[in-house]
Amino acid sequence: MRRISIFTALCASAICLVLFSIRATTKGLRFCPWPNTLNCRARVIYEAPLLNCDVPKEEIVPDSYVVFLHQGYSLDKHKQAVGVNIDSAIQYIVNETAVHGLYYRAGFDNATLAAVRTDIGVDVVECNRKVHPTVSGDGDL
């Protein structure tokens, strides 16, 4: 009987740990089951995906990114969550519509990019790619 009680207590503890982890992830909180370990202090649960950066370097605009926010998430709330002044880095803003949330193009260094990606309100970040004009069928641009 005592073994069953210990097993039940361990299972309940594991379930609580998993549930807290899920709750922390959805709220953008930092979560560490063992807070006194060095690796745990630096671990962050949420990081927005970084897309379209795996193309040749000639195709990418250096240190330029397009940041897509969740629908209904304001730019002011995003700036507050990032914790770094990004006003001067923002080059272009596309306002939210019924189809998509707000997104913007900005030039970031690596540290600022990392801060932007940890905001739970960011859907995805894309590397800004160069646009190449296409030639029409008659050879004119």
Side-chain angles (χ1 to χ4, degrees):
M1 189 67 174
R2 183 176 167 100
R3 284 186 179 181
I4 293 174
S5 298
I6 293 171
F7 179 75
T8 304
L10 288 173
C11 288
S13 297
I15 290 169
C16 287
L17 186 64
V18 169
L19 290 177
F20 179 77
S21 173
I22 291 169
R23 182 169 171 245
T25 302
T26 59
K27 292 189 179 260
L29 302 174
R30 297 177 190 273
F31 171 70
C32 286
W34 301 279
N36 294 328
T37 62
L38 181 61
N39 290 339
C40 194
R41 288 187 197 127
R43 197 169 108 199
V44 175
I45 296 294
Y46 182 77
E47 185 175 59
L50 185 61
L51 304 178
N52 296 329
C53 298
D54 55 351
V55 296
K57 289 188 180 200
E58 304 83 41
E59 298 286 322
I60 294 177
V61 179
D63 300 325
S64 183
Y65 303 93
V66 181
V67 179
F68 295 85
L69 303 181
H70 293 302
Q71 202 161 11
Y73 195 72
S74 73
L75 186 58
D76 288 335
K77 203 171 188 182
H78 171 61
K79 289 176 186 178
Q80 190 177 34
V82 170
V84 176
N85 185 357
I86 60 173
D87 287 330
S88 62
I90 296 176
Q91 301 159 346
Y92 188 77
I93 299 172
V94 177
N95 290 319
E96 181 173 339
T97 68
V99 179
H100 62 77
L102 179 141
Y103 62 94
Y104 65 91
R105 182 181 69 213
F108 295 135
D109 60 16
N110 288 339
T112 306
L113 175 62
V116 166
R117 290 180 66 198
T118 59
D119 178 11
I120 195 77
V122 175
D123 273 331
V124 66
V125 177
E126 291 187 12
C127 286
N128 192 12
R129 296 175 64 180
K130 294 179 182 174
V131 177
H132 300 287
T134 58
V135 178
S136 63
D138 59 3
D140 294 330
L141 288 177

